[in-house]
Amino acid sequence: MRVSPKLIIAAVIVVAAVWFILVNKSRVDIYLWVPKITAPMWLVLLLTFAGGLLTGLLLRRNARQEHVRQH
């Protein structure tokens, strides 16, 4: 069975993100223009990672649809 380089890179990124999230357990203040939110750092990191992942998936899907329309 052959594993693609993309899969290896994705796995390394996910493992690094999970490790980084688990190590950072302190509480942080987040300023959203006016309101200030206090949350655990792991939650902030997890939400940021999930937001980036979702953005990447949406952009990839949009690029595929655009490619199909052109052909």
Side-chain angles (χ1 to χ4, degrees), residues 1-36:
M1 186 169 117
R2 186 177 162 108
V3 179
S4 73
K6 282 184 181 181
L7 184 60
I8 293 170
I9 292 170
V12 168
I13 291 171
V14 168
V15 167
V18 169
W19 173 80
F20 194 71
I21 288 166
L22 293 175
V23 169
N24 290 287
K25 296 179 184 177
S26 62
R27 295 186 71 78
V28 293
D29 292 333
I30 303 163
Y31 297 91
L32 303 171
W33 293 281
V34 176
K36 179 179 108 172

Side-chain angles (χ1 to χ4, degrees), residues 55-67:
T55 301
L57 291 173
L58 290 173
L59 289 174
R60 182 177 176 195
R61 182 176 174 204
N62 190 25
R64 280 186 183 173
Q65 288 174 350
E66 190 66 33
H67 180 71

Side-chain angles (χ1 to χ4, degrees), residues 36-56:
K36 179 179 108 172
I37 299 170
T38 301
M41 176 68 95
W42 68 265
L43 181 60
V44 174
L45 292 169
L46 180 64
L47 292 174
T48 302
F49 182 74
L53 181 64
L54 181 61
T55 301

